[in-house]
Amino acid sequence: MTLRHEAFLDHVKERGRYGTREEAERAARVVLALLGAHLVGEVRARLAARLPEEFALILLNPLQSAEPLSPERFVRAIAAWIEGATEQTATRDVSAVLSTVADTAADDLLKEILLQLPAGYDLLFGRPQPT
């Protein structure tokens, strides 16, 4: 299911309890840019195809990451990229965006995404996996 840009942002805005769509967009841009650095190949392209075009381009042209970040370091990196953010607000940002991404991705695609990420990302996507 591909969401329109406005619908995607409305989901992020609601989940992140943002006051404006602009706040939701800022979070989406940063989170997707860093997520894109962690995904490769067909998985990244398939996810991008399910996102609104503007966000697909961000995912496909990611920030650089020298190594895969643990979920905790991912949240800290997001906090560093968003002006005025704390780890607590960055956790909310990541959760709002990645849970919306999870809803957009089919279950099989989400499983492939999680296989490319370090353990623990399932919780950031709001989809705890059985151990």
Side-chain angles (χ1 to χ4, degrees), residues 24-121:
E25 183 159 0
R26 179 185 64 192
R29 288 176 171 279
V30 174
V31 171
L32 290 171
L34 192 53
L35 177 64
H38 288 71
L39 301 177
V40 296
E42 183 184 334
V43 170
R44 184 168 60 187
R46 286 176 50 210
L47 178 58
R50 293 182 167 271
L51 296 174
E53 183 178 3
E54 182 178 341
F55 294 127
L57 292 172
I58 292 168
L59 185 79
L60 293 171
N61 296 290
L63 296 170
Q64 297 302 308
S65 181
E67 62 183 276
L69 300 175
S70 68
E72 297 80 17
R73 289 182 61 210
F74 187 90
V75 169
R76 284 196 301 269
I78 296 299
W81 276 94
I82 297 177
E83 185 178 333
T86 64
E87 282 190 42
Q88 183 178 6
T89 62
T91 299
R92 179 195 65 197
D93 296 335
V94 169
S95 176
V97 175
L98 293 186
S99 66
T100 302
V101 167
D103 288 349
T104 303
D107 287 342
D108 62 328
L109 177 56
L110 184 59
K111 287 178 186 176
E112 291 179 52
I113 290 167
L114 292 173
L115 286 173
Q116 288 193 6
L117 298 169
Y121 272 80

